[in-house]
């Protein structure tokens, strides 16, 4: 005899596929036991960090779908989240730095008009488009879409029917329920909202958000509505507070207490992924649900030097830098329960256990999701992302650009730079506000030198010039804002 839940699930399955976007804060490409880096034949290769972490549910998802070894996001949080919601590059939406909730953190030479407000209410965001198409849109976890008091502060003004835990803050006051996630003890300015029922309990933040997400998707299924879940964990952002259930897994004497605590955040995040997959199966909607898993920027594991070879090894750098470790992120797409005959899976087929080595970007998710849901961005709205469908099917796609532009006109772990990748080549341009007349640039061949150890500017000056010209054309076409010099004058890039 059919239950109410299974009857509702059947009704929902006649409409549109469900979509779960599982976004992990500050998770880099190497913060997992799933190998994403590949050899020359496109086969994944395990590195020491893959043996340090435990992410069996990421592997479970990878076995059901496709991983990307070259998937790019912005180098810090708010720009990536805005790009995800809008389909636009940070150069165009102009939220080019992470948003500090209470003050404008443009930094010393940052552009005066950068978009500190974040996403505005009139933007045709991905959840707004899905909402108009009949989806129940659910946000759970970190938002960081706009400053305190802005339109973007509340996800419900950006197209979400439900918001649990999302506000202007970019990190949790605490992961501990005993501390009220910052309300009772910890950083009260960064206390996570909407979870009062868990205060004073031993419920870890990642678990509380997972319980809430499961409850909301169950409600959507009972209502017979397709749902879009933005499962945006605060993990694995600082503070690195250990989940004591997993700490015994990380006793290596070569690692610090902070590194062990960070690893427990990774493992608990992975547990959350598994519980959501299990819930989809329990509700009878797994075969109708696409899961997209990714990090929002490069990793921040407390291992090694910020700009060296530690937290992202063998890649260089971590979040906020101009190097590959600052902007390459894990990406997996899979149907929660592969079923080749399913009509939605026929609409967007995804092979199982496959590695895609072509370039994808965080902007690409917007047009890909809207295409799957059968809706479109408004006429006249510029989308910088490109549909991933053919790449998700494991094919090449000559129409999809093999390029990525990452513009950061602020100070952070890397400062006042534009990084541009096109095919095998990557140029990093430094604006040098202290001496604006003397910019500089590095040139790397990422196929030969994925670790970015050998600047080829001297050997290939013409290639560096070509890459800078392409970079400038992209910056101009996306209407970029630039750093300023000591006198407040805009510094534009030039061919060196």
């Amino acid at each position: 005899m059919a239950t109410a839940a299974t009857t509702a699930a059947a009704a929902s399955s006649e409409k549109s596929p469900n979509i779960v976007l599982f976004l992990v804060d500050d998770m880099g490409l190497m913060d997992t036991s799933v190998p994403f880096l590949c050899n020359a034949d496109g086969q994944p290769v395990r590195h020491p960090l893959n043996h340090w972490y435990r992410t069996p549910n990421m592997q479970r998802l990878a076995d059901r779908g496709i991983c990307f070894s070259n998937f790019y996001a912005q180098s810090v949080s708010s720009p990536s989240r805005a790009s995800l919601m809008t389909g636009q590059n940070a150069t165009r939406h102009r939220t080019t730095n992470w948003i500090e909730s209470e003050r404008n953190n443009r930094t010393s030479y940052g552009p005066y008009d950068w978009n500190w407000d974040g996403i505005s209410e009139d933007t045709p965001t991905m959840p707004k488009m899905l909402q108009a198409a009949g989806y129940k849109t659910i946000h759970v976890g970190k938002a960081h879409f706009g400053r305190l008091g802005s339109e973007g502060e509340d996800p419900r003004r950006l197209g979400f029917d439900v918001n649990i835990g999302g506000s202007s803050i970019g990190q949790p006051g605490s992961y501990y329920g005993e501390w009220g996630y910052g309300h009772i003890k910890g950083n009260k300015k960064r206390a996570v909202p909407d979870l009062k029922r868990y205060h004073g309990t031993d419920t870890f933040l990642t678990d509380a958000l997972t319980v809430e997400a499961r409850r909301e998707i169950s409600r959507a299924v009972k209502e017979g509505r397709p749902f879009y879940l933005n499962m945006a964990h605060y993990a694995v952002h600082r503070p690195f507070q250990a989940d004591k259930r997993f700490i015994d897994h990380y006793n290596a004497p070569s690692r610090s207490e902070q590194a062990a605590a960070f690893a427990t955040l990774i493992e608990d995040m992975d547990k959350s992924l598994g519980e959501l997959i299990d819930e989809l199966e329990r509700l009878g909607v797994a075969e109708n649900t696409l899961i997209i898993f990714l990090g929002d920027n490069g990793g921040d594991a407390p291992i090694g030097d910020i700009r060296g070879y530690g937290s992202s090894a063998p890649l260089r750098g971590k979040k906020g830098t101009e190097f590959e470790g600052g902007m390459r992120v894990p990406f997996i797409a899979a149907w929660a329960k592969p079923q080749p005959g399913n009509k939605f899976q026929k609409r967007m087929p995804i092979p199982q256990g496959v590695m895609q080595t072509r370039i994808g970007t965080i902007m690409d998710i917007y047009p890909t999701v809207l295409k799957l849901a059968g809706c479109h961005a408004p006429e006249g709205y510029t989308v910088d992302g490109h549909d991933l469908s053919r790449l998700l099917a494991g094919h090449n796609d000559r129409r999809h650009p093999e390029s990525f532009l990452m513009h950061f006109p602020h100070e952070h772990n890397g400062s006042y730079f534009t990084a541009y990748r096109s095919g095998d080549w990557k140029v990093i341009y430094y604006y040098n506000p202290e001496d604006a007349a003397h910019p500089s640039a590095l040139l790397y061949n990422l196929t030969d030198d994925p670790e970015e150890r050998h600047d080829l500017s001297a050997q290939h000056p013409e290639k560096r010039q070509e890459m800078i010209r392409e970079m400038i054309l992209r910056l101009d076409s996306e209407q970029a804002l630039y750093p300023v010099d000591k006198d407040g004058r805009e510094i534009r890039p030039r061919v060196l």
Side-chain angles (χ1 to χ4, degrees), residues 25 77 99 101 142 144 167-172 190 234 237:
D25 196 18
S77 174
I99 294 171
S101 182
K142 173 175 169 176
H144 211 197
S167 67
S168 64
I169 64 173
Q171 69 180 78
R190 298 291 176 260
Y234 282 93
H237 197 290

Side-chain angles (χ1 to χ4, degrees), residues 301-313:
I303 302 172
D305 296 333
I306 290 172
R307 298 173 60 77
Y309 300 90
S311 63
S312 304

